[in-house]
């Protein structure tokens, strides 16, 4: 999704802007641009379709220099990814802007401004903002007043960075609905969509709140809140280092992140379990009371996080005896709800900035839920700040668009939450101790499964020429089949669908032939015999199976049924472990196909627009 970087300094800012954009590449984008104010007070701009490297090439061929600048990676929403639609947008060489979000009333504003005689050079919603600001400047406003007046008229979501040639040394930032941080340097300031962009230049950040407008100069920062009053926002020091978001020795971030999972899961458990039980304080001081009082759970999330929620439903109901509903946020937010008393509202999000999940949380706040709980990977995110209870996953920065370690740490945090809630619902101490023991074994088990990578890489070759695939699971493994299918389609562009295996006979069996691989997750659980019968249905129709199972559950390997054996694992933690081979399979198929593994086409990491 769009990324913003901007700087006001004494030194040359173009290299800072380009490095910041490179660090935001993971968010997903299709064009990039930067504008700087040069020593002669002229706004100079480069824009390029495609990768940030194309922009860097334009900059090296014809360098533009200055100590005030804004830059952007664009993920197209209004208008195709062309140079004319790329940001920064400018009006009359006077003012330049970068924008993340969507301006919903852009057509009405464009109509007004066109009628007033202003020309437009792009198809974007953003351009109306810069033209409207220019209009205010022409009427005598200074840059801050102009941004205030224009943002007051905007409907939708935005994070903005604005500079003008009439006010060298001044950068205005505004935030409503899209994330934006201010980086504090020594005698210099920066803004960015994400702290990762600025880690080479600072680790001190101010997180703008909803409705804030920041008036930023090299040596001064003034923030106005949504009501227009001056406010102080705390400066927070990030614990991330500049190399936290680098690939290390790996070919792709996704490979690095798959390999980091045992450590990330271990860190997510750290300090939250003791003597065979979960410490509910891990979710905050009110956690024991609120979880104890909860009688139902509503989970809301998107994408991979939604799949984690689907697994958690099995756990909430079977371990804690709590009825649990799970819904994708984009649906939840737009329908009426009947909220039963004492329902806990639980959001799951790696980024904590997904527009639909955030909007669902805000919607839920007026609906009478007992409390809101966020399970999230980014401590300063909007979701964390706006929830009553928080359980942080400790995955570290996840850069690959296809989520891996964020998912397994979400499952870890969810199981901790379920156990904390189950205590007051009568879960026996011995059962809790068994499950805590199963959690403790996970890091070692994950390493063992990651160790199967060379064999999974070998299997991947069979998929390279396939166009369709089917993933099967039953019970809590069905969401894992969904996650496996999502991984494969996201990064290899092979159509992949997941089905609960018992549903095969109601439709998908019609598709089965030797050309459509059927991948199955089959640990030794209560449903495995039923699952095996479903697999026979596939084999009887000439289908080719790839089954991940343990020794006790593995079907007989045959020419049409390949079996990969995983270590035995407790039934409750099995979903976590069975995710790993599916991630590795998708990764190696994508590598063999030569796709852009970390930034698959058309997708974004952090979906901050609706
Ligand atoms: C995008 C990403 C997915 C992610 C989803 C939800 O689609 O590409 O990997 O699962 O957003 O993101 P969140 O940050 O809310 O977990």
């Amino acid at each position: 999704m769009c990324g913003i970087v901007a700087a006001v300094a004494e030194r040359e800012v173009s290299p800072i802007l380009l490095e910041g954009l490179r660090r935001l590449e993971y968010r997903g984008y299709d064009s990039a641009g930067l504008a700087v104010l040069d020593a002669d007070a002229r706004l100079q701009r480069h824009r390029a379709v495609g990768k940030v490297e194309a922009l860097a090439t334009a900059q090296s061929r014809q360098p533009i220099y200055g100590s005030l600048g804004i830059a952007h990676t664009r993920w197209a929403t209004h208008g195709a990814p062309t140079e004319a639609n790329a940001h920064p947008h400018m009006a009359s060489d006077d003012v330049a802007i970068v924008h993340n979000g969507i301006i919903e009333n852009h057509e009405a504003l464009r109509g007004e401004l066109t009628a007033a005689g202003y020309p437009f050079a792009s198809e974007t919603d953003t351009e109306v903002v810069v033209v409207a600001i220019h209009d205010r400047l022409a009427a005598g406003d200074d840059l801050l007043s102009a941004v205030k007046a224009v943002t007051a008229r905007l409907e939708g979501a935005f994070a903005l960075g604005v500079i003008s040639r009439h006010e060298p040394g001044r950068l205005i930032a505004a935030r409503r609905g899209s994330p934006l941080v201010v980086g504090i340097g020594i005698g210099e300031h920066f803004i960015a969509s994400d702290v990762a962009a600025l880690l080479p230049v600072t680790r001190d950040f101010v997180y703008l709140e909803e409705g804030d407008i920041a008036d930023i100069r090299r040596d001064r920062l003034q923030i106005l809140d949504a009501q227009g009053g001056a406010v102080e926002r705390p400066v927070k020091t990030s614990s991330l280092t500049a190399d936290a978001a680098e690939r290390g020795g790996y070919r792709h971030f996704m490979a690095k992140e798959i390999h980091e999972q045992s450590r990330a899961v271990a860190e997510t458990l750290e300090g939250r379990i003791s003597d065979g039980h979960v410490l509910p304080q891990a979710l905050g001081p009110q956690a024991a009371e609120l979880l104890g009082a909860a009688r139902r759970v509503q989970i809301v999330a998107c994408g991979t996080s939604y799949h984690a929620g689907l697994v958690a439903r099995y756990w909430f109901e079977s371990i804690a005896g709590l009825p649990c509903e799970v819904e994708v946020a984009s649906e939840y937010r737009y329908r009426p709800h009947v909220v039963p008393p004492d329902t806990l509202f639980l959001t799951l999000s790696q980024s904590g900035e997904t527009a639909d999940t955030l909007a669902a949380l805000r919607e839920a706040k007026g609906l009478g839920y007992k409390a809101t709980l966020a399970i999230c990977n980014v401590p300063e995110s909007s979701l964390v700040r706006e929830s009553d209870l928080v359980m942080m996953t400790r995955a570290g920065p996840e850069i690959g668009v296809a989520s891996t370690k964020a998912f397994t740490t979400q499952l870890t945090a969810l199981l901790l939450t379920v156990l904390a809630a189950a205590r007051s619902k009568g879960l026996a101490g011995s059962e809790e101790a068994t499950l805590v023991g199963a959690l403790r074994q996970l890091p070692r088990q994950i390493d063992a499964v990651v160790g199967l990578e060379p064999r999974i890489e070998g299997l991947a070759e069979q998929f390279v020429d396939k166009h369709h695939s089917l993933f099967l699971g039953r019970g809590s493994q069905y969401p894992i089949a969904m996650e496996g299918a999502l991984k494969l389609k996201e990064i290899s562009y092979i159509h992949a669908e997941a089905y609960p295996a018992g549903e095969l006979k109601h439709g998908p069996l019609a598709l089965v032939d030797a050309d459509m691989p059927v991948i199955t997750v089959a640990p030794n659980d209560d449903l495995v015999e039923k699952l095996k019968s479903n697999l026979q249905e596939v084999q009887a129709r000439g289908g080719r199976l790839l089954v991940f199972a343990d020794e006790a559950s593995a079907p007989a390997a045959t020419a049409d049924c390949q079996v990969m054996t995983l270590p035995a694992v407790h039934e409750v933690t099995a979903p976590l472990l069975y995710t790993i081979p599916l991630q590795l399979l998708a990764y190696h198929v994508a590598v063999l196909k030569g796709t852009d593994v970390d930034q698959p086409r058309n997708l974004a990491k952090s979906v901050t627009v609706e």
Side-chain angles (χ1 to χ4, degrees), residues 189-210:
H189 281 110
F190 315 92
I191 60 170
S193 301
D194 179 330
V195 296
L198 300 176
L199 289 171
V201 284
T202 184
R203 284 172 61 195
D204 293 332
F205 296 96
V206 169
Y207 293 82
L208 295 183
E209 303 269 337
E210 281 297 282

Side-chain angles (χ1 to χ4, degrees), residues 93-173:
D93 297 335
D94 242 10
V95 51
I97 192 173
V98 284
H99 166 222
N100 172 12
I102 288 180
I103 306 301
E104 290 179 346
N105 57 339
H106 71 102
E107 277 176 6
L109 294 170
R110 186 183 273 247
E112 261 178 43
L113 292 161
T114 307
Y118 287 106
F120 281 83
S122 80
E123 303 155 285
T124 63
D125 52 336
T126 302
E127 198 180 358
V128 300
V129 185
V130 72
V131 173
I133 291 172
H134 176 251
D135 183 55
R136 298 294 312 187
L137 294 176
D141 277 2
D142 73 339
L143 194 59
L144 177 64
S145 315
V147 172
K148 264 166 86 178
V150 171
T151 51
R153 297 198 56 205
L154 300 180
E155 289 166 18
F158 54 81
L160 299 173
V162 194
I163 57 177
S164 159
R165 80 183 161 96
H166 301 296
E167 298 184 56
R170 191 178 204 188
L171 165 67
I172 307 291

Side-chain angles (χ1 to χ4, degrees), residues 302-305 348-352 354 357 401-403 410 490 604-605 607:
C302 302
T304 288
S305 297
L348 297 169
S349 174
Q350 187 283 127
S351 62
T354 300
T357 309
V401 162
S403 186
Q410 278 172 345
E490 278 181 312
K605 179 72 183 161
V607 182

Side-chain angles (χ1 to χ4, degrees), residues 75-384:
W75 188 77
T77 57
H78 295 66
T82 58
E83 196 176 317
N85 287 333
H87 301 214
H89 287 286
M90 285 169 52
S92 296
D93 297 335
D94 242 10
V95 51
I97 192 173
V98 284
H99 166 222
N100 172 12
I102 288 180
I103 306 301
E104 290 179 346
N105 57 339
H106 71 102
E107 277 176 6
L109 294 170
R110 186 183 273 247
E112 261 178 43
L113 292 161
T114 307
Y118 287 106
F120 281 83
S122 80
E123 303 155 285
T124 63
D125 52 336
T126 302
E127 198 180 358
V128 300
V129 185
V130 72
V131 173
I133 291 172
H134 176 251
D135 183 55
R136 298 294 312 187
L137 294 176
D141 277 2
D142 73 339
L143 194 59
L144 177 64
S145 315
V147 172
K148 264 166 86 178
V150 171
T151 51
R153 297 198 56 205
L154 300 180
E155 289 166 18
F158 54 81
L160 299 173
V162 194
I163 57 177
S164 159
R165 80 183 161 96
H166 301 296
E167 298 184 56
R170 191 178 204 188
L171 165 67
I172 307 291
R175 177 209 157 135
R176 192 202 301 159
S178 298
L180 201 59
V181 298
V182 180
I184 316 289
I186 299 169
E188 54 191 10
H189 281 110
F190 315 92
I191 60 170
S193 301
D194 179 330
V195 296
L198 300 176
L199 289 171
V201 284
T202 184
R203 284 172 61 195
D204 293 332
F205 296 96
V206 169
Y207 293 82
L208 295 183
E209 303 269 337
E210 281 297 282
D212 279 357
I213 296 183
D215 183 3
I216 309 168
R217 296 171 194 269
R218 197 176 64 67
D219 50 2
R220 193 166 67 88
L221 167 67
Q222 191 185 26
I223 300 175
L224 307 177
D225 65 13
Q227 285 69 45
V231 279
E232 289 285 328
R233 303 267 180 239
V235 178
K236 303 203 172 162
T237 302
S238 171
S239 57
L240 297 175
T241 53
D243 60 7
E246 280 167 14
R247 275 206 309 269
Y250 291 90
R251 184 164 166 199
H252 297 102
F253 280 110
M254 185 178 177
K256 174 175 176 247
E257 289 158 5
I258 290 173
H259 281 257
E260 282 172 345
Q261 287 180 108
S262 60
R263 188 163 49 82
V265 166
E267 280 179 18
T268 301
L269 292 172
E270 183 70 37
R272 290 167 168 169
I273 46 182
S274 162
D275 291 337
H277 66 269
V278 172
L279 305 166
Q281 303 90 298
L283 286 89
Q286 316 151 275
E289 183 203 330
L290 288 171
L291 290 176
R295 285 197 281 151
R296 286 170 185 277
V297 181
Q298 170 72 61
I299 299 179
V300 168
C302 302
T304 288
S305 297
Y306 169 66
H307 293 158
L310 291 176
V311 175
R313 177 169 61 188
Y314 291 87
W315 291 340
F316 271 115
E317 301 209 339
S318 65
I319 300 170
L322 283 170
C324 178
E325 296 288 331
V326 191
E327 191 166 1
V328 287
S330 54
E331 287 298 316
Y332 176 90
R333 62 182 289 198
Y334 287 120
R335 70 180 182 86
H337 294 278
V338 177
V339 179
D342 299 322
T343 304
L344 177 70
F345 187 82
L346 200 175
T347 52
L348 297 169
S349 174
Q350 187 283 127
S351 62
E353 299 293 350
T354 300
D356 284 321
T357 309
L358 255 181
L361 170 65
R362 289 172 185 159
E363 172 74 18
K365 286 194 163 172
L367 297 178
Y369 283 97
K370 180 80 188 165
T372 58
L373 163 63
I375 292 183
C376 187
N377 195 39
V378 180
E380 300 300 339
S381 61
S382 306
L383 203 69
V384 167

